[in-house]
Amino acid sequence: MSSIIITINGKDHSLDVDPQMPLLWAIRDVVGLKGTKYGCGVAQCGACTVHLNGEAVRSCVTKVSRAAGQKVVTIEGLSKNNDHPVQRAWQEIDVPQCGYCHSGQIMSAAVLLRDNPNPTDADIDAGMAGNICRCGSYLRVRKAIHLAAGMERKVSSRNE
Amino acid sequence: MNPRSPHTSPRWLNQKTMAMLSVGLFVTTVVTSAFTEERTPTTRPFTLVPATAPVGRDSMASVKAFANVYKVLMSPRCMNCHPAGDIPLQGDDSHRHAMAPRRGIDGKGVYAMKCTNCHQPTNTPGLHTPPGNPDWHLPPATARMVFQGRTPNQLARQLVDPKQNGGKNMAQLLEHAHDGLVVAGWTPGEGRTLPPLSHAEFTKAWTTWIKTGAFAPKP
Ligand code: FES
Ligand code: FES
């Protein structure tokens, strides 16, 4: 088995794994980053969301071969000091209940805000509909995304 | 005889010109046939074939072939990605896609809900898991190419209308039967029924429909 190189959170990892292995397995069990969660294994819940070249893919159905030579960012790599606006807003609103779904929620929210820095409730619903929360934290998720959008707006107006 | 003699060259040109003219005439008549009815909606299609129609133009054969085309296009494997709204359908009963992914401008989804975030380049193993294709998408917002709810007459006219079919001419339409995402409908992944005809039978019906004039059935 030849090794597969994937850049995860800015660092190259050479993985001796089956190319058919789900990326989630490689991230958790081979690389040892446990922040990304396993919920359903069939792309239905969003708990396993990571960024592959900037898109919020579901790592449970993404094969390692698709990520070969590509850039992956997990919740551990979203920011240096857990200070991405989405992470700060999540802390401020105290969004998580059990917390299991939230690394996926945050990774999806980060893509949403990158693509739409000023989302409406409808935009948030459209962008976050694939992330399921069994604790029902949806209203806090929405509130935190608005807060994060406001934080980013403040930063960009200060920089202008 | 010298093949470049002045006698052969004009004859060759004549044949070529004739061939080009007849192809041009054929394409023009095929393209216009689906609009003819629109202009005269009460006229039966079978009365529209001019007496001087080029060989191959045959409204009866065309409408008959389209019945098979329609059966396939309205099957869940095709129609589920040609919904009336902006959310795809799912399953053999064509229910609304779980988690309501949106079409987006380019047909590839929005934000964290892009098609290929879940739909991989190949089918995911297992029952009812996401089917895959490298080019997974819906028609774009600029040409939504709705199949759901279309009658045979409406669908036939829409398919050959470049304003509604994504700007495809007849050659591109013929080729579309072999598009990777179209062909993927016949390897849909576990738990999904196949279209009612094989891909070869569909291609035959599609080609026959177009080459015999792309006639729309009666409204
Ligand atoms: S674990 Fe991947 S979507 Fe549920
Ligand atoms: S906070 Fe418990 S699943 Fe979302």
Side-chain angles (χ1 to χ4, degrees):
Chain A
M1 210 152 36
S2 61
S3 58
I4 293 171
I5 296 175
I6 305 178
T7 307
I8 303 176
N9 300 335
K11 191 172 159 221
D12 285 354
H13 291 264
S14 177
L15 308 176
D16 289 317
V17 299
D18 184 338
Q20 304 286 311
M21 177 187 271
L23 181 60
L24 176 61
W25 266 240
I27 289 169
R28 286 182 57 89
D29 293 0
V30 181
V31 181
L33 295 168
K34 301 284 171 69
T36 307
K37 302 301 184 210
Y38 170 79
C40 64
V42 286
Q44 295 296 305
C45 75
C48 65
T49 305
V50 299
H51 297 175
L52 173 63
N53 297 335
E55 295 299 346
V57 303
R58 284 155 194 242
S59 59
C60 66
V61 290
T62 302
K63 290 173 182 159
V64 163
S65 56
R66 185 177 167 194
Q70 312 298 310
K71 287 189 173 60
V72 170
V73 174
T74 69
I75 186 71
E76 291 90 344
L78 185 62
S79 62
K80 282 218 167 62
N81 305 304
N82 291 337
D83 58 356
H84 184 284
V86 173
Q87 289 169 305
R88 286 195 286 135
W90 244 249
Q91 285 165 29
E92 198 163 321
I93 307 271
D94 207 1
V95 179
Q97 183 80 22
C98 79
Y100 199 79
C101 68
H102 281 287
S103 55
Q105 303 270 9
I106 288 171
M107 297 309 277
S108 289
V111 169
L112 164 66
L113 285 177
R114 180 201 64 201
D115 291 357
N116 182 348
N118 194 14
T120 61
D121 280 352
D123 295 333
I124 294 173
D125 292 350
M128 300 299 291
N131 289 80
I132 311 290
C133 173
R134 67 185 166 183
C135 302
S137 61
Y138 302 108
L139 294 181
R140 291 198 300 277
V141 165
R142 196 196 259 177
K143 201 169 158 193
I145 291 174
H146 282 304
L147 179 62
M151 289 174 178
E152 286 194 332
R153 275 198 300 274
K154 257 189 225 151
V155 172
S156 55
S157 65
R158 244 185 275 136
N159 293 343
E160 270 163 19
Chain B
M1 190 171 66
N2 178 356
R4 291 182 190 277
S5 83
H7 298 291
T8 53
S9 187
R11 216 168 40 220
W12 175 80
L13 267 181
N14 270 344
Q15 279 170 358
K16 194 181 170 198
T17 310
M18 287 305 289
M20 281 168 68
L21 274 175
S22 57
V23 168
L25 182 61
F26 170 70
V27 170
T28 310
T29 48
V30 165
V31 170
T32 52
S33 63
F35 300 103
T36 314
E37 260 205 307
E38 210 162 15
R39 288 198 300 269
T40 53
T42 52
T43 315
R44 289 184 46 172
F46 309 116
T47 63
L48 297 177
V49 187
T52 53
V55 180
R57 197 166 155 84
D58 178 343
S59 65
M60 297 286 275
S62 191
V63 166
K64 194 167 159 217
F66 188 74
N68 279 330
V69 168
Y70 186 74
K71 256 195 281 182
V72 171
L73 299 195
M74 297 307 274
S75 80
R77 297 294 79 77
C78 297
M79 191 184 75
N80 283 1
C81 285
H82 291 267
D86 285 325
I87 296 173
L89 310 171
Q90 206 177 31
D92 283 354
D93 59 356
S94 297
H95 59 269
R96 200 182 76 156
H97 193 302
M99 62 191 102
R102 308 282 159 161
R103 182 190 303 276
I105 292 165
D106 57 3
K108 295 178 179 173
V110 296
Y111 314 132
M113 293 286 285
K114 309 224 167 77
C115 306
T116 53
N117 290 353
C118 296
H119 295 277
Q120 302 296 316
T122 55
N123 288 341
T124 295
L127 190 63
H128 299 304
T129 53
N133 183 274
D135 191 28
W136 201 273
H137 67 279
L138 294 181
T142 46
R144 294 162 71 243
M145 304 179 209
V146 174
F147 292 0
Q148 189 184 16
R150 294 285 190 260
T151 64
N153 173 273
Q154 290 168 334
L155 189 57
R157 287 187 350 222
Q158 172 184 309
L159 285 166
V160 294
D161 177 0
K163 283 201 205 79
Q164 297 186 73
N165 74 10
K168 289 185 193 65
N169 61 27
M170 285 299 147
Q172 289 164 325
L173 266 189
L174 283 168
E175 193 46 43
H176 195 59
H178 305 285
D179 173 89
L181 196 50
V182 170
V183 176
W186 278 267
T187 49
E190 275 181 64
R192 298 177 190 98
T193 56
L194 291 171
L197 302 180
S198 70
H199 181 255
E201 288 165 334
F202 167 70
T203 304
K204 193 169 165 225
W206 177 253
T207 308
T208 304
W209 172 57
I210 294 173
K211 289 198 168 172
T212 51
F215 280 88
K218 277 190 288 181

